[in-house]
Amino acid sequence: MSEKYRGLSPAEFFHRNKEIAGFSNPSRALYQTVRELVENSLDATETHGILPYIDVEVRLHEDRPEWVTLRVADNGIGIPAHEIPNVFGRVFYGSKYVVRQTRGVFGLGVKMAVLYAQMTTGKPIYVKSSTRDSDVVGEYLLYIDISRNIPHVQKMRIKKKNKNWHGTIVRLTLEGAWLQSKKRIEDYIRRTALISPYATIRYRSPDGELLFERVSKELPEPPQIGKYHPKGVDIEILKDLIRRSNNNDMTLAGFLEKYFEGVGEKIAQEFLTWAGFQPDTKVKELKLADLEKLATAMKNFPKWRRPRPLTLSPLGSELLKKGVKSILKPEFATAVIRPPSSYGGHAFIVEAAIAYGGEIPPQDNVLLLRFANKMPLLYDEGVDVSRKIVDSIDWSIYKIKFPAPVAVVTHVCSTKIPFKGVGKEAIADVPELEHELEIAIRDVARRLRIYLSKLEKMYEVKRKEVTIRKYMGEVSSSLAYVLNMDPNSISSLLEELLKKELEKKEVTVNA
């Protein structure tokens, strides 16, 4: 009996392997759907200079409590009406396949949510959207044709826009374990508000409503679309760039200068001489063996400049501190941003913050809040590089004695986050990244130690004051008897001396 062979479309592959995209069970699937929709909304706003307003609503079905309807609305740039079906109904289709920091990178997240809804409830996704410069609003009900990986539009309406609204509204119904996932979803919304202090997020659920008002109107500098770095290319990238050049006369030197980050005329000539290529060779003449040699040489050439951080959008220490103070409400908080670095030709920036006291509950270990490209990471903490570093630190060096009310926040932004899986919940321990994270965490920890040292000195001053005041009356009476003076005068004199001494010590503590 002969075997039968056929191919799988991307949609069919993820339909069969939903676990690798984070949709392993109804609890995780509901959380993942909330996450994908909220992150799309934030990318559609802040990346384009719009202060985000995100409205998230979770409703349970009246007759089927295991069915959950999720609605997310934003005030972003919107989606052109003719693109809506492909954006929501075709796996690996989107606007994020460029060299630029974004939350989503696979073109999969929201489509996986649509697939999961189809698999569990059979309900289509509802999408309403309009761009800023459009005079129409597009509304769609659609499925994904799994076998062909194309959208199947059930209903469509294009209507004239009667007010200056722009943004996107998405609603879908899926099978979700609300009771098991509600704590995780609320944590996700809170942490999103922390890392996006310029956003207003309204969250409504069967348990009530939460409103996180923006605490800043300052947006981070949006990332720019960049070029590939020479160290981050392979043979297929080279072939694709040559195809896109569409120029039969382009030389190898001109190709490097036009399509790669940090490559000018001088360094292009130096590299080609080092690698054994003629600068005036036409790129269309390169054979596969030439491309393999070129890709290998580009990865190994030691004199490339570091990739510039133009493609990145870090939060910045002040905004990060505002977010930490707004959500964690500590008595002390500080944040730091590290200089740009790179791994494998990919630029990255690390930020870290530490918070102590206030409303942070004492715990037997450091409370760790992890973020990647402004995305909260809630699952798989045990295998994340940040947890590895935090657990390796002797916190007693920084005057932390557990249980202690201390939280550490880490944020990595990059054009390519080295996630450990498609679920995008844990960052791998890449040496360059691990090094920068440890420096940042120890930096903020030292600042906390300085604060706690000052606090100890202040408490010591207060203890001395209490002790002195305890015996001041008796000393005043004795001195008045010996000196034959009014006890009240002695008390006033001692009070003045004590006040001066305390002021002197307070200046020392606050220095």
Side-chain angles (χ1 to χ4, degrees):
M1 181 177 171
S2 61
E3 294 283 353
K4 292 184 178 180
Y5 298 91
R6 74 180 186 91
L8 286 181
S9 75
E12 192 171 357
F13 173 81
F14 285 106
H15 168 255
R16 294 184 177 204
N17 301 280
K18 60 185 183 298
E19 295 82 7
I20 66 174
F23 288 75
S24 52
N25 55 63
S27 172
R28 182 75 180 263
L30 181 55
Y31 158 75
Q32 197 73 20
T33 302
V34 171
R35 173 182 166 176
E36 298 292 354
L37 292 178
V38 169
E39 286 164 6
N40 282 352
S41 291
L42 287 167
D43 274 340
T45 48
E46 65 178 56
T47 305
H48 303 277
I50 301 170
L51 287 169
Y53 179 87
I54 316 294
D55 187 12
V56 183
E57 182 182 11
V58 178
R59 287 189 289 111
L60 302 182
H61 196 279
E62 291 182 2
D63 302 321
R64 304 282 297 272
E66 74 275 16
W67 284 15
V68 181
T69 298
L70 175 64
R71 178 185 180 275
V72 176
D74 65 56
N75 62 332
I77 59 166
I79 303 165
H82 67 279
E83 288 283 15
I84 291 174
N86 282 325
V87 169
F88 290 90
R90 179 179 291 178
V91 176
F92 298 141
Y93 185 92
S95 62
K96 298 178 180 179
Y97 301 121
V98 292
V99 183
R100 178 177 65 183
Q101 173 190 328
T102 57
R103 289 175 173 83
V105 292
F106 298 132
L108 171 64
V110 71
K111 273 79 87 173
M112 191 62 236
V114 178
L115 284 173
Y116 189 81
Q118 287 180 215
M119 293 159 56
T120 55
T121 67
K123 301 288 186 183
I125 184 174
Y126 166 81
V127 183
K128 176 182 178 180
S129 189
S130 180
T131 60
R132 287 191 281 191
D133 56 354
S134 174
D135 56 0
V136 299
V137 177
E139 286 187 271
Y140 287 83
L141 274 177
L142 60 88
Y143 294 98
I144 296 176
D145 184 326
I146 293 175
S147 63
R148 295 189 293 166
N149 189 33
I150 60 173
H152 174 70
V153 177
Q154 189 181 59
K155 191 180 291 186
M156 177 190 80
R157 182 169 66 161
I158 307 294
K159 61 181 182 180
K160 191 169 180 61
K161 187 161 62 175
N162 54 19
K163 58 181 179 178
N164 194 29
W165 174 79
H166 58 83
T168 303
I169 300 172
V170 177
R171 185 179 66 241
L172 51 75
T173 301
L174 68 154
E175 184 181 294
W178 166 247
L179 291 178
Q180 286 74 37
S181 61
K182 63 180 184 178
K183 175 67 167 58
R184 187 79 66 171
I185 292 172
E186 184 177 321
D187 283 347
Y188 169 79
I189 296 293
R190 286 184 184 278
R191 295 189 188 190
T192 299
L194 185 154
I195 203 67
S196 309
Y198 41 79
T200 293
I201 303 175
R202 184 187 183 197
Y203 172 58
R204 292 172 288 169
S205 75
D207 291 351
E209 180 176 330
L210 293 172
L211 180 63
F212 299 95
E213 296 274 9
R214 66 174 58 94
V215 295
S216 174
K217 290 187 177 181
E218 178 189 353
L219 281 168
E221 194 70 28
Q224 301 175 26
I225 295 176
K227 302 175 184 179
Y228 287 103
H229 189 272
K231 280 188 174 292
V233 301
D234 55 36
I235 297 171
E236 288 301 318
I237 289 175
L238 290 174
K239 286 162 70 175
D240 181 58
L241 291 175
I242 291 170
R243 274 195 302 267
R244 278 196 269 162
S245 70
N246 197 27
N247 183 352
N248 291 327
D249 295 324
M250 179 172 281
T251 65
L252 196 47
F255 173 71
L256 292 174
E257 292 171 36
K258 181 175 180 179
Y259 288 103
F260 293 96
E261 164 69 26
V263 180
E265 181 180 354
K266 183 179 177 181
I267 198 167
Q269 296 283 345
E270 185 178 349
F271 162 72
L272 291 171
T273 302
W274 177 86
F277 286 93
Q278 292 298 321
D280 57 354
T281 301
K282 300 290 191 293
V283 291
K284 291 290 185 181
E285 298 173 0
L286 295 176
K287 308 298 182 187
L288 185 61
D290 298 323
L291 293 176
E292 190 277 331
K293 179 184 175 184
L294 181 61
T296 302
M298 289 173 77
K299 288 178 182 176
N300 295 327
F301 185 59
K303 295 185 180 181
W304 297 126
R305 301 190 189 110
R306 280 188 175 189
R308 294 177 297 169
L310 301 175
T311 54
L312 306 181
S313 177
L315 203 60
S317 56
E318 286 305 312
L319 268 180
L320 180 56
K321 190 160 70 171
K322 283 181 181 179
V324 168
K325 287 183 174 180
S326 171
I327 300 302
L328 298 181
K329 296 179 171 55
E331 69 178 62
F332 171 83
T334 187
V336 67
I337 177 170
R338 293 286 303 154
S341 189
S342 66
Y343 78 95
H346 305 289
F348 73 89
I349 291 176
V350 164
E351 300 176 289
I354 198 165
Y356 182 86
E359 295 187 11
I360 301 172
Q363 300 183 64
D364 292 330
N365 201 353
V366 172
L367 172 63
L368 177 61
L369 286 76
R370 302 168 295 130
F371 298 89
N373 285 351
K374 301 173 190 162
M375 298 184 297
L377 308 179
L378 272 68
Y379 283 89
D380 306 330
E381 181 181 306
V383 296
D384 190 277
V385 63
S386 292
R387 174 48 72 185
K388 173 185 173 183
I389 294 167
V390 166
D391 288 348
S392 71
I393 292 173
D394 180 1
W395 288 95
S396 64
I397 296 172
Y398 303 103
K399 296 186 175 293
I400 302 293
K401 297 177 182 177
F402 294 103
V406 60
V408 167
V409 178
T410 60
H411 178 218
V412 178
C413 54
S414 178
T415 53
K416 187 179 181 182
I417 298 286
F419 288 115
K420 286 194 170 181
V422 183
K424 300 184 295 183
E425 288 287 355
I427 298 176
D429 45 354
V430 174
E432 297 91 337
L433 185 59
E434 187 174 343
H435 175 71
E436 288 295 318
L437 276 167
E438 182 166 2
I439 291 174
I441 293 170
R442 288 189 180 276
D443 190 345
V444 291
R446 280 192 293 271
R447 298 183 190 184
L448 175 59
R449 180 176 61 192
I450 292 169
Y451 170 77
L452 293 176
S453 297
K454 290 181 177 180
L455 213 58
E456 286 179 357
K457 291 178 182 177
M458 188 176 71
Y459 287 147
E460 182 62 30
V461 169
K462 290 294 181 186
R463 279 196 295 271
K464 286 182 179 179
E465 181 184 357
V466 169
T467 304
I468 291 169
R469 289 191 183 282
K470 183 178 179 181
Y471 298 103
M472 189 179 284
E474 189 176 332
V475 171
S476 298
S477 299
S478 300
L479 284 174
Y481 176 78
V482 171
L483 299 173
N484 194 23
M485 292 178 63
D486 180 12
N488 291 331
S489 299
I490 298 292
S491 294
S492 299
L493 184 60
L494 289 176
E495 186 69 40
E496 189 176 339
L497 288 171
L498 178 62
K499 185 179 178 182
K500 286 182 179 179
E501 187 64 23
L502 291 174
E503 285 177 352
K504 192 189 301 181
K505 291 185 180 296
E506 193 173 331
V507 168
T508 305
V509 168
N510 294 325

